[in-house]
Amino acid sequence: MSGIAHHLVKRGIDATQEKYRSGSFAQDGDNKPFGHPHAVAAALVITSILWFFAASAIHYVYSGVVATLTMIETPTATAFKLDPAESDEADAPLLSADEKKSTTAEPELFYVKTKPITSKIRTTIKHLKAEAGPWSRFRGLQVALVYHFVHQIAFQFLTALFGGAMIAQSFAAVATAVILCRLQMLWTHVVISAPSEKKWYRRFPTIEQGKKVILPTAVWALAEQATIYIPLTLVVAFDLEGYFRDPAAFSHLSEMQQKAVMLATLAVFMSGVVTAILVVLPAKVTLKRVQASLLPEESDTIVPFDRTFGGKVQPELLGGKGVVSMLDAWKTFDWAARFRLAKLYAKIAGIQVATAVFFVSLGVFEVRMINGDWVLR
């Protein structure tokens, strides 16, 4: 969303400057003055910055922190013991103590699963505030900023090293993710763990732990690249490159051809969405759960979390590997949890769309208010 905001505002500023240089700001439609280009540009820039921070905060808190907690939470179950009622038959008083004992049923235990904390965004944020304070929704932000800064430097270096071709950029993206796998795992540990007195830079995973997440990190990074290459392959297959380079060429097509191009464009878009849902999301869930399985024993989690993954993980002290396998990481993420995560992402998409509509409307309002044109035409 922040990228869209930047693109729209840049186009608006460029158009404003062009009209200003050409002198076409002197008139607007029905000879009304259309001035204040600098004020319009300033208002759009400020609105763009606000949109960027709002969209970034929504993405970090909901797609980052809340989604990660949803991926690792294990709903707990509460046990209730039901004692059998004593016999109320008419001859009960005539029974001896031993007979009464022999006829008494054993107590029954009932297990009731509690509702997951991450079942709703509101309950998750409320839980975080109660456990870690009002700013806990931004937990791990320092690590995230360091990660993205170092990631950008490493990616640019590897891209220059391997060449500027698209395949080289993809290789650089995967290599960068693998190189920084320990830093990414540190962020996950900071987010899912209870408040700690240790500074984040003193909680770095060991090199041995880093080796255990190389494969799931590489799989996740490759899955993200698939969301680029699959749609691009369809663009080439449907011969849509020309229309993307020159949108005006679309108007010269017949009505049937235009419908075909629109359907092909929709197929390209949906291929990216389907790839993200069926490939990237499982890879991301698997990665986060593998990272969570390597959380140090002395660190408590801020939401309920089964470190054994249903008995599939044994600590290294007991002869186990101390880490969940990729397959078990995904299989133990049951359908209820998958549905909960899908619902969360649907809500996030709705929030981001509503935010975009709000800021675009605000930008239109600002332009018309500054130029004295209050009537939308």
Side-chain angles (χ1 to χ4, degrees):
M1 285 296 175
S2 57
I4 296 173
H6 172 76
H7 177 70
L8 290 176
V9 172
K10 184 177 182 301
R11 287 189 61 185
I13 293 174
D14 290 344
T16 300
Q17 292 175 340
E18 182 62 30
K19 291 188 74 176
Y20 183 67
R21 285 194 295 266
S22 64
S24 57
F25 264 117
Q27 302 293 330
D28 178 30
D30 23 41
N31 298 324
K32 292 183 180 179
F34 192 82
H36 313 296
H38 298 298
V40 169
L44 291 178
V45 168
I46 293 172
T47 302
S48 173
I49 293 172
L50 292 175
W51 185 2
F52 171 79
F53 280 109
S56 298
I58 292 169
H59 176 76
Y60 184 81
V61 175
Y62 299 146
S63 300
V65 175
V66 176
T68 299
L69 294 176
T70 304
M71 292 174 191
I72 66 102
E73 183 183 9
T74 307
T76 56
T78 304
F80 295 93
K81 184 175 75 171
L82 183 64
D83 292 322
E86 293 187 4
S87 176
D88 56 355
E89 295 178 7
D91 58 351
L94 302 177
L95 297 175
S96 66
D98 290 338
E99 290 174 322
K100 284 184 179 181
K101 188 175 180 180
S102 64
T103 57
T104 301
E106 292 293 328
E108 295 184 50
L109 288 178
F110 292 91
Y111 291 92
V112 179
K113 270 193 174 182
T114 57
K115 194 173 185 180
I117 294 170
T118 56
S119 59
K120 294 181 179 179
I121 293 177
R122 182 175 57 83
T123 56
T124 307
I125 298 299
K126 185 178 179 180
H127 175 77
L128 287 175
K129 289 173 64 178
E131 295 292 326
W135 292 100
S136 57
R137 67 184 66 192
F138 294 104
R139 55 196 357 247
L141 182 59
Q142 289 178 316
V143 184
L145 292 175
V146 171
Y147 175 82
H148 286 295
F149 177 74
V150 178
H151 185 281
Q152 189 65 20
I153 293 176
F155 174 73
Q156 294 297 338
F157 172 77
L158 292 176
T159 300
L161 184 65
F162 299 137
M166 189 170 179
I167 189 68
Q169 292 182 10
S170 297
F171 182 78
V174 175
T176 302
V178 171
I179 292 170
L180 299 179
C181 64
R182 289 173 63 205
L183 186 56
Q184 190 189 82
M185 180 161 55
L186 172 63
W187 180 85
T188 301
H189 288 179
V190 171
V191 167
I192 69 174
S193 61
S196 172
E197 294 181 357
K198 279 187 178 181
K199 298 294 184 181
W200 63 267
Y201 48 82
R202 296 186 181 278
R203 301 172 61 183
F204 240 94
T206 64
I207 295 176
E208 288 301 317
Q209 288 178 318
K211 291 178 181 178
K212 294 177 181 179
V213 297
I214 287 178
L215 181 58
T217 301
V219 171
W220 164 72
L222 287 169
E224 287 210 318
Q225 294 305 308
T227 61
I228 299 174
Y229 279 96
I230 291 177
L232 280 179
T233 301
L234 291 180
V235 167
V236 175
F238 293 144
D239 197 22
L240 297 175
E241 299 168 277
Y243 303 111
F244 290 158
R245 291 197 190 99
D246 182 20
F250 179 79
S251 60
H252 300 303
L253 299 176
S254 65
E255 184 178 349
M256 185 65 69
Q257 289 174 322
Q258 288 182 348
K259 288 181 179 179
V261 169
M262 287 189 289
L263 286 174
T265 304
L266 179 62
V268 170
F269 172 76
M270 289 306 300
S271 70
V273 173
V274 172
T275 304
I277 294 173
L278 299 183
V279 180
V280 178
L281 194 55
K284 185 174 183 179
V285 170
T286 300
L287 172 60
K288 292 301 176 184
R289 290 174 70 79
V290 172
Q291 291 172 338
S293 71
L294 292 166
L295 183 71
E297 288 291 335
E298 64 270 15
S299 298
D300 295 324
T301 54
I302 201 165
V303 295
F305 173 57
D306 178 16
R307 292 173 181 265
T308 70
F309 290 82
K312 297 183 182 296
V313 178
Q314 292 293 330
E316 289 181 313
L317 293 175
L318 299 178
K321 294 182 179 179
V323 62
V324 68
S325 68
M326 292 179 63
L327 182 59
D328 287 336
W330 175 247
K331 286 171 65 177
T332 54
F333 190 64
D334 60 22
W335 280 104
R338 296 173 192 178
F339 177 74
R340 194 164 69 247
L341 183 63
K343 189 168 65 171
L344 170 65
Y345 277 117
K347 290 180 181 178
I348 294 170
I351 293 171
Q352 289 286 28
V353 169
T355 304
V357 170
F358 170 78
F359 278 102
V360 169
S361 301
L362 179 61
V364 172
F365 171 77
E366 288 171 339
V367 171
R368 294 193 176 278
M369 182 182 69
I370 291 171
N371 290 303
D373 186 0
W374 293 83
V375 181
L376 293 174
R377 296 192 297 272

